[in-house]
Amino acid sequence: MGGDDQRPEPPARVFVNRFAADAATAPAADRCDCFQGPRERPLELHTDRQDTTAPGWLHLLELIDEAAADGREVFRPLAELSPAERRQIVTLPAAVAKLTEVKHFVLYGSNLVRIPPEIGAMTSLEGFEPYTSYRLHWFPYEITRCTRLCRSTVSTRALYGNYKYRPPFPRLSSKPQPVPAGRRCSVCARELTDGTARWTWLSLRVATDVLPLLVQACSQECLNALPEGDARHAPSPHQGGLVDEV
């Protein structure tokens, strides 16, 4: 090949930012230092309580009602909230159970610390994207009821027990724990009439990612009915602690 032989450079590839509309209004989330410091440091579940009088919460309820009424398939509510409103949302309303037509649910850059078990009623859900929600460390077992869910985009480094960083799980009591009124068993869906549940962790592949799932079961029988977990994370249901110990 001669020195004068110059091949044209290939055109630059352009990658689409799927979250551009959401990122434009994304606020700085509240600081989370759960995974800072020694890996052996005990962790606790975030206890932030949702202010149900906050403008952001009320606006989100309106957006959910609108989405349920018009039967939309793509729902990205945080893109329609102001930065201050987005920061006010630390849990989703149980009303997400009404979103039975939604196929694609985007929660990019949220300040969420928990997802309610009612997400299991979103039976049309195919894509779930809570990406860069760095305070969201776990999910409810009820998300496994979204049987059409096949795509997820989750910041796995922020998850309890993730394969690469191995942060510990918060310790759970082996005794039944109080749950909100009307809560149902994560496994059999029967109402927890005594107001308590047996809690356990299970790391299970859901769509694209292995997620740490919190199970709230009515009985030992329901706990025994749980599937095996992902072998690389925590292969069996457990009460928390370091992944290497469970």
Side-chain angles (χ1 to χ4, degrees):
M1 182 183 299
D4 294 333
D5 183 11
Q6 296 182 353
R7 296 183 179 182
E9 294 184 1
R13 296 178 64 189
V14 177
F15 295 90
V16 176
N17 182 354
R18 293 180 294 132
F19 303 107
D22 306 82
T25 57
D30 292 323
R31 180 178 174 82
C32 174
D33 61 355
C34 286
F35 297 164
Q36 303 299 316
R39 190 169 71 97
E40 295 77 12
R41 180 169 67 99
L43 296 183
E44 296 182 357
L45 295 169
H46 282 289
T47 58
D48 309 47
R49 299 189 64 176
Q50 178 63 56
D51 180 358
T52 56
T53 66
W57 175 264
L58 300 177
H59 192 177
L60 179 56
L61 288 175
E62 293 176 358
L63 294 173
I64 290 172
D65 286 342
E66 291 175 6
D70 64 28
R72 74 185 66 173
E73 296 185 354
V74 177
F75 189 45
R76 45 197 331 137
L78 301 186
E80 301 186 53
L81 302 182
S82 71
E85 289 176 329
R86 290 172 69 127
R87 196 165 187 174
Q88 293 166 358
I89 307 298
V90 296
T91 188
L92 295 178
V96 295
K98 298 187 292 186
L99 302 176
T100 55
E101 301 299 318
V102 169
K103 295 182 178 180
H104 189 191
F105 194 10
V106 180
L107 295 167
Y108 177 86
S110 79
N111 199 35
L112 292 169
V113 300
R114 69 187 68 88
I115 300 287
E118 285 79 8
I119 194 173
M122 297 179 66
T123 51
S124 297
L125 194 62
E126 298 176 2
F128 182 48
E129 299 182 345
Y131 191 53
T132 68
S133 298
Y134 292 125
R135 300 209 304 151
L136 188 58
H137 305 318
W138 61 274
F139 297 84
Y141 182 77
E142 285 80 353
I143 199 172
T144 62
R145 296 179 187 162
C146 301
T147 56
R148 298 183 183 181
L149 185 58
C150 58
R151 302 183 308 277
S152 58
T153 308
V154 178
S155 294
T156 54
R157 70 178 63 185
L159 300 182
Y160 294 138
N162 76 74
Y163 176 69
K164 186 173 182 180
Y165 297 98
R166 297 295 199 183
F169 290 79
R171 289 281 186 185
L172 302 176
S173 174
S174 59
K175 298 179 181 179
Q177 297 298 302
V179 294
R183 182 63 54 84
R184 294 181 176 274
C185 174
S186 298
V187 183
C188 71
R190 287 196 296 262
E191 185 172 352
L192 299 166
T193 53
D194 67 350
T196 67
R198 298 169 184 265
W199 291 21
T200 194
W201 291 113
L202 180 64
S203 294
L204 200 64
R205 180 166 295 279
V206 178
T208 315
D209 303 289
V210 174
L211 303 181
L213 305 178
L214 182 62
V215 181
Q216 299 182 4
C218 65
S219 64
Q220 185 61 46
E221 288 73 20
C222 278
L223 291 179
N224 293 341
L226 291 170
E228 285 295 304
D230 184 272
R232 296 188 308 166
H233 292 70
S236 302
H238 60 91
Q239 300 303 115
L242 290 172
V243 177
D244 300 336
E245 299 173 347
V246 300

